[in-house]
């Protein structure tokens, strides 16, 4: 259970010339969650063992951005901006062991910790775009400063990151005809580890699984090269592209056996992964009130690196599809129904199995631009689950995660 609230404010100023403007946004949120897991073991109706785990604590998120646009002509403009985010959280993890002599769960201080987590990110960016002959070109650079500190008062430990990273990007497009446009791009991106993957202490998920974070995790950096063509035929939009992506500092969760029937999960930068593939997307209206967005993606996947001082290399041929439908019944009522499918895929230690998900939502505007109600049903057909197998020295592990609507 938990509580959550957020506040959002936006600002816009136009200088009197079309598209010459400043846009600003501020966002604040606060949450306080409380999660408890109890595992009990019985013999002939009498409990002889068990564990109780608790995770609770507040979390606060501040975000702000400021974007400036200066147009020079119909095709040429300069953009610059700032984006910042500060996350502050204090999470308490507690473990209780069942004592069969008094029938109570007793607090275990050596496996209970407080984690103070602060992450501050500040980025400056600039983009220039222009049309040279018949080629539209856009080049940009983003500089990002990250400061992160993790403190564990119960262990008198502190882990810090203080760094600057740079993210260039180049995009180009060429209009082949009135119907088709050819595009090519390069971009460098970042994917940061989540907070619970960094916690430098054991957290018991249940009686048989313990998680141990890694505060020295580096973020993933993705270099993406893409080229494709977009065609509009009447009301039908078709886009296709081929791509090549390389991920450095690939983050994966790694399992080991630490005791009989006890598996430990931790997180490591195992190496790199590579994806080369093609994507095809259709967007059209079968009927006036019905919009369809259909996407298919096929790619060859390779992950390789070093795990426990041993090199590894694993490959798989993957494919994904999304089938999104929007129905506008009346001017005030819309329905969305979405399907997504992911084929099996390898990881450094094992394999993810097929995943199929279906979601349904209905949105009704009660008072125009003021009040609306939304009903969501997730996993309509009850098919959403993630199956994962992993194996290593002296162990084979199978997990199935089911998600209720």
């Amino acid at each position: 259970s938990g509580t959550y609230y957020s506040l959002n404010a936006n600002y816009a100023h136009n200088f009197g010339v079309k598209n010459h403007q400043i846009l600003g946004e501020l966002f604040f949120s606060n949450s306080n969650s409380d999660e408890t897991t109890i595992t009990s073991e019985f013999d002939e109706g009498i409990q002889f063992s068990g564990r109780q785990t608790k995770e609770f604590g507040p979390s606060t998120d501040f975000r702000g951005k400021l974007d400036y646009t200066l147009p020079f002509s119909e095709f040429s403009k300069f953009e610059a901006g700032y984006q910042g985010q500060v996350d502050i959280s204090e999470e308490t993890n507690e473990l209780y062991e069942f004592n069969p002599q008094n029938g109570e769960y007793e607090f275990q201080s050596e496996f209970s910790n407080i984690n103070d987590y602060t992450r501050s990110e500040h980025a400056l960016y600039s983009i220039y775009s222009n049309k040279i002959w018949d080629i539209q070109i856009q080049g940009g650079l983003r500089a990002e400063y990250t400061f992160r500190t993790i403190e564990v008062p119960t262990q008198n430990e502190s882990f810090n990151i203080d760094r600057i990273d740079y993210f260039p990007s180049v995009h180009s497009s060429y209009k082949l005809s009135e119907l088709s446009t050819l595009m090519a791009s390069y971009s460098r991106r970042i994917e940061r580890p989540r907070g619970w993957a960094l916690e430098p202490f054991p957290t018991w998920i249940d009686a048989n699984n313990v998680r141990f974070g890694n505060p020295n995790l580096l973020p993933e950096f993705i270099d993406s090269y893409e080229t494709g063509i977009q065609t509009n035929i009447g009301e039908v939009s078709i886009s296709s592209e081929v791509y090549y992506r390389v991920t450095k500092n690939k983050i994966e969760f790694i399992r080991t056996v630490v005791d009989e029937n006890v598996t430990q999960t931790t997180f490591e930068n195992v190496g790199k992964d590579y994806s080369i593939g093609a994507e095809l997307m259709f967007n059209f209206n079968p009927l006036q009130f019905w919009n369809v967005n259909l996407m298919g993606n096929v790619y060859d996947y390779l992950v390789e690196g070093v795990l426990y001082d041993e090199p590894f290399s694993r490959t798989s041929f993957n494919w994904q599809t999304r089938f999104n439908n929007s129905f506008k019944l009346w001017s005030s009522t819309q329905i969305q129904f979405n399907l997504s499918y992911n084929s099996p895929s390898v990881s450094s230690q094992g394999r993810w199995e097929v995943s199929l998900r279906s979601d349904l939502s209905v949105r009704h505007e009660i008072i125009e631009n003021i009040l609306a109600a939304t009903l969501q049903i997730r996993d309509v057909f009850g098919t959403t689950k993630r199956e994962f197998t992993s194996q290593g020295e002296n162990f084979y592990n199978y997990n199935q995660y089911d998600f209720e609507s």
Side-chain angles (χ1 to χ4, degrees):
S1 63
T3 58
Y4 172 86
Y5 67 89
S6 65
L7 300 171
N8 188 76
N10 296 279
Y11 170 79
H13 176 75
N14 196 300
F15 291 95
V17 178
K18 185 179 179 181
N19 295 327
H20 186 196
Q21 60 185 5
I22 288 180
L23 301 175
E25 182 177 345
L26 290 174
F27 176 84
F28 169 81
S29 70
N30 181 271
S31 62
N32 201 335
S33 60
D34 186 349
E35 182 176 334
T36 301
T37 301
I38 299 176
T39 303
S40 306
E41 295 183 79
F42 295 84
D43 183 13
E44 295 183 355
I46 300 175
Q47 184 174 354
F48 65 90
S49 179
R51 282 194 176 105
Q52 183 183 54
T53 64
K54 294 183 179 181
E55 293 185 49
F56 55 91
S59 176
T60 303
D61 181 18
F62 299 91
R63 279 182 255 163
K65 57 186 297 192
L66 191 66
D67 299 315
Y68 172 71
T69 303
L70 174 62
F72 298 115
S73 67
E74 181 182 357
F75 302 106
S76 174
K77 65 179 178 180
F78 172 78
E79 299 171 82
Y82 160 83
Q83 184 171 358
Q85 180 172 349
V86 178
D87 295 324
I88 302 172
S89 65
E90 179 183 294
E91 185 174 277
T92 301
N93 295 265
E94 295 180 349
L95 176 67
Y96 298 78
E97 291 275 3
F98 181 76
N99 186 339
Q101 295 181 351
N102 57 22
E104 295 181 356
Y105 287 87
E106 297 179 345
F107 180 66
Q108 306 294 307
S109 59
E110 66 270 28
F111 293 109
S112 302
N113 293 279
I114 298 174
N115 179 37
D116 294 328
Y117 175 81
T118 302
R119 186 182 74 184
S120 179
E121 299 160 7
H122 303 275
L124 295 173
Y125 80 90
S126 62
I127 300 172
Y128 176 73
S129 57
N130 202 352
K131 190 173 184 178
I132 302 175
W133 297 295
D134 291 327
I135 303 174
Q136 185 75 37
I137 296 178
Q138 175 183 291
L141 179 64
R142 176 183 174 96
E144 190 168 290
Y145 168 71
T146 302
F147 176 77
R148 188 186 75 201
T149 178
I150 302 170
E151 296 181 353
V152 187
T154 54
Q155 299 180 6
N156 196 27
E157 290 184 306
S158 179
F159 305 88
N160 299 317
I161 284 183
D162 190 354
R163 61 184 293 163
I164 297 177
D165 296 294
Y166 299 94
F167 302 93
S169 64
V170 178
H171 301 270
S172 63
S173 63
Y174 175 73
K175 200 166 185 179
L176 297 172
S177 67
E178 291 299 320
L179 301 178
S180 300
T181 301
L182 182 66
M183 297 171 289
S185 67
Y186 162 77
S187 62
R188 186 172 190 251
R189 309 167 190 171
I190 187 171
E191 186 73 31
R192 295 181 179 82
R194 297 185 179 182
W196 43 263
L198 303 167
E199 297 172 348
F201 49 79
T203 299
W204 286 91
I205 307 303
D206 53 46
N208 306 105
N209 293 278
V210 60
R211 183 182 71 224
F212 206 114
N214 179 2
N216 297 312
L217 275 180
L218 297 173
E220 296 179 342
F221 293 100
I222 303 101
D223 290 291
S224 180
Y225 307 83
E226 304 171 7
T227 184
I229 186 169
Q230 181 173 331
T231 302
N232 296 303
I233 304 174
E235 297 295 323
V236 180
S237 175
I238 305 172
S239 63
S240 60
E241 71 170 25
V242 293
Y243 60 84
Y244 175 64
R245 297 181 186 130
V246 182
T247 302
K248 302 173 184 177
N249 303 332
K250 177 64 176 177
I251 297 174
E252 294 226 2
F253 61 87
I254 306 301
R255 284 193 166 103
T256 55
V257 173
V258 293
D259 202 353
E260 185 179 0
N261 293 327
V262 176
T263 301
Q264 176 178 284
T265 300
T266 188
F267 304 84
E268 298 287 347
N269 296 111
V270 298
K272 295 182 179 181
D273 75 2
Y274 307 84
S275 300
I276 182 168
E279 185 175 276
L280 183 64
M281 183 179 295
F282 295 88
N283 190 292
F284 60 99
N285 296 322
L287 299 171
Q288 188 175 1
F289 62 89
W290 180 15
N291 176 261
V292 170
N293 186 280
L294 178 63
M295 185 278 293
N297 180 25
V298 294
Y299 61 99
D300 193 60
Y301 179 71
L302 164 67
V303 57
E304 62 180 12
V306 177
L307 193 60
Y308 300 122
D309 299 322
E310 292 289 334
F312 72 90
S313 178
R314 297 174 61 84
T315 63
S316 63
F317 183 77
N318 299 357
W319 64 282
Q320 303 167 330
T321 184
R322 289 197 310 267
F323 181 44
N324 299 334
N325 300 264
S326 296
F327 304 89
K328 192 168 185 178
L329 301 185
W330 301 278
S331 60
S332 59
T333 305
Q334 295 185 32
I335 296 177
Q336 282 192 348
F337 176 67
N338 302 326
L339 279 171
S340 63
Y341 173 91
N342 292 296
S343 70
S345 180
V346 296
S347 70
S348 60
Q349 271 192 316
R351 167 183 163 109
W352 289 98
E353 299 300 332
V354 167
S355 173
L356 176 64
R357 182 184 179 94
S358 55
D359 298 314
L360 176 69
S361 66
V362 181
R363 185 180 187 274
H364 178 70
E365 199 170 56
I366 301 172
I367 303 176
E368 187 176 0
N369 297 326
I370 296 178
L371 181 64
T374 301
L375 171 67
Q376 290 184 329
I377 302 175
R378 299 181 181 180
D379 190 19
V380 177
F381 302 115
T383 58
T384 303
K385 63 180 180 179
R386 294 306 306 272
E387 294 179 83
F388 179 78
T389 56
S390 59
Q391 53 188 341
E393 187 176 355
N394 300 323
F395 83 93
Y396 173 87
N397 188 281
Y398 169 81
N399 289 81
Q400 177 175 312
Y401 302 91
D402 292 302
F403 302 88
E404 294 185 2
S405 300

